[in-house]
Amino acid sequence: MSRRPVAVAASVLTVLALGATSACSGNSSASTGGSGSTPTVKLMAGGLDKQIYLPYQLAQQLGFYKKYGVNVQLSTEQDGGVGAEEAMASGQVDMAGAWYNHTIEFQAKGKAVEDVVQLSGAPGEREMCTAKSGVHSAADFKGKTLGVTDLGSGTDTLTQFLAAKQGVKTSQFHRIGVGAGSTAIAALQNGKVDCVMTTQPTVAAIQKKGVGASAIDLATTSGATAAMGGAYPAASVLARTDWVSGHKDTVQKVVDALVATMHWINTHSAADIANKLPASFVSNQLVTKADYIAALNEDKGQFLPDGLMPAGGPKTSLATEKLVGNVKGSVDLSKTFTNDFAVQANKTEGFKTTTTPAGPNG
């Protein structure tokens, strides 16, 4: 959910050109092309080649969108370009593969956006710090320069939240945008930052190069719960509430495909997953395929098996937004997410659900 991640693999654009179409121009709505035809949905994700966002592309690779009767055109954020959630809110795309917390921020701004399927119960992030930084927890942030994907991004919010939890004020440390991938690594190598919050496979590359180590684990549900006081719903599918209301059958098809994908992830190994993803995602200038698999095996616990919003997740996210000052007024959490589509998807396929679902109040 970083808003403007930097693409990790140089060849990702080639992959997208083959398997998806750009959704960065013109207004968009699900196109049916006539009675009985397959609807088309434009979905932009916050970095398709990042492990935290792999379900969107994996569903395509597995043929699940086609299986469930929807043509999903995937696109990815570009550095310096419009964010996925912003593209969705403005109608450039129908759906966004982004973090749940944006629905809370949108409501605070008077915009109705909802989460229709939840893919992860943790941010998938790690605070990677140099040995000389002396940072072992957020209590050590004082006087440090901390890298985030971009100012205003999800990693920026999380960084401020972790500091606030330890009584460290935002004025006591410095935050700068360093992107992800090679730019984040360079920031650590060149001493531009003491730490950077980032995801796999950048984490694996940092560890392999010996330029940093994990100081705070937000990559798994258990790690996020320990650091944040509860599950933190991150990767999801967001859409405008008015669009969802007018395209319920289409939304259900997309959710069916992604719930099937989450079940597939839960029942297959990291190697199986890597073998299904585009080659450029799992082997590039940052990591080897073996590195990618090892990293995914380590952080695979972030993914939810059934697409349900976990109990307590919305409350944790709201507490985060309030603590860092992004939201000051009241928020109706019941309007920021729905489990209805995921419940139906699991019922249709006969999948056993294991996530305790959040109620209307989160």
Side-chain angles (χ1 to χ4, degrees):
M1 76 59 133
S2 18
R3 288 182 179 166
R4 294 173 178 81
V6 177
V8 172
S11 57
V12 67
L13 294 180
T14 300
V15 174
L16 292 175
L18 293 173
T21 60
S22 174
C24 294
S25 63
N27 291 327
S28 172
S29 61
S31 172
T32 58
S35 177
S37 64
T38 301
T40 293
V41 171
K42 293 180 180 180
L43 188 157
M44 181 186 284
L48 285 171
D49 56 345
K50 299 176 79 171
Q51 279 194 6
I52 59 171
Y53 290 138
L54 72 83
Y56 312 113
Q57 186 69 47
L58 182 60
Q60 194 83 279
Q61 304 298 116
L62 293 171
F64 284 170
Y65 295 129
K66 182 178 180 180
K67 175 182 177 181
Y68 291 98
V70 61
N71 174 35
V72 174
Q73 297 179 341
L74 296 173
S75 61
T76 195
E77 289 182 6
Q78 298 301 310
D79 185 32
V82 64
E85 71 283 353
E86 295 160 346
M88 172 274 302
S90 65
Q92 295 178 55
V93 295
D94 305 307
M95 293 178 153
W99 284 11
Y100 160 71
N101 70 298
H102 294 303
T103 66
I104 295 173
E105 294 173 352
F106 278 125
Q107 186 179 129
K109 296 174 182 177
K111 297 181 180 180
V113 170
E114 62 187 85
D115 177 337
V116 297
V117 61
Q118 189 60 44
L119 308 183
S120 66
E125 307 277 351
R126 290 180 183 274
E127 191 73 38
M128 303 298 293
C129 303
T130 63
K132 66 180 182 180
S133 70
V135 175
H136 303 289
S137 75
D140 303 317
F141 282 178
K142 289 182 180 179
K144 307 300 180 183
T145 298
L146 307 176
V148 298
T149 307
D150 194 10
L151 296 181
S153 67
T155 54
D156 189 18
T157 298
L158 285 177
T159 298
Q160 295 177 69
F161 177 75
L162 292 173
K165 288 271 287 185
Q166 294 296 326
V168 180
K169 298 178 181 179
T170 303
S171 60
Q172 294 178 303
F173 60 96
H174 184 52
R175 306 172 346 264
I176 61 173
V178 297
S182 59
T183 55
I185 295 171
L188 282 173
Q189 285 179 314
N190 301 334
K192 188 176 181 179
V193 297
D194 297 290
C195 305
V196 62
M197 184 174 287
T198 192
T199 64
Q200 299 287 10
T202 306
V203 166
I206 289 171
Q207 292 172 326
K208 190 172 184 178
K209 291 176 179 292
V211 297
S214 176
I216 302 173
D217 168 25
L218 300 178
T220 61
T221 303
S222 58
T225 299
M228 306 182 72
Y232 185 89
S236 63
V237 172
L238 312 182
R240 299 183 313 280
T241 297
D242 62 343
W243 189 88
V244 173
S245 297
H247 301 84
K248 289 187 176 180
D249 289 344
T250 299
V251 173
Q252 187 65 63
K253 293 175 188 295
V254 174
V255 175
D256 286 347
L258 286 168
V259 165
T261 300
M262 303 317 293
H263 178 75
W264 196 93
I265 289 172
N266 190 51
T267 55
H268 287 75
S269 69
D272 291 335
I273 296 168
N275 286 336
K276 288 293 184 180
L277 292 170
S280 63
F281 283 27
V282 302
S283 180
N284 49 62
Q285 70 268 31
L286 288 184
V287 292
T288 64
K289 188 173 183 179
D291 292 333
Y292 186 96
I293 292 171
L296 180 56
N297 191 55
E298 184 178 3
D299 293 349
K300 189 166 172 271
Q302 70 190 273
F303 296 115
L304 298 170
D306 41 33
L308 294 170
M309 173 64 76
K315 287 185 176 179
T316 301
S317 189
L318 177 57
T320 303
E321 296 293 324
K322 286 190 171 182
L323 192 58
V324 303
N326 287 346
V327 174
K328 293 182 171 60
S330 61
V331 171
D332 184 349
L333 289 176
S334 69
K335 295 181 179 180
T336 63
F337 73 96
T338 177
N339 275 324
D340 292 350
F341 295 106
V343 167
Q344 183 58 49
N346 282 286
K347 182 178 179 181
T348 297
E349 290 300 319
F351 294 145
K352 180 180 179 181
T353 60
T354 56
T355 301
T356 301
N361 65 354

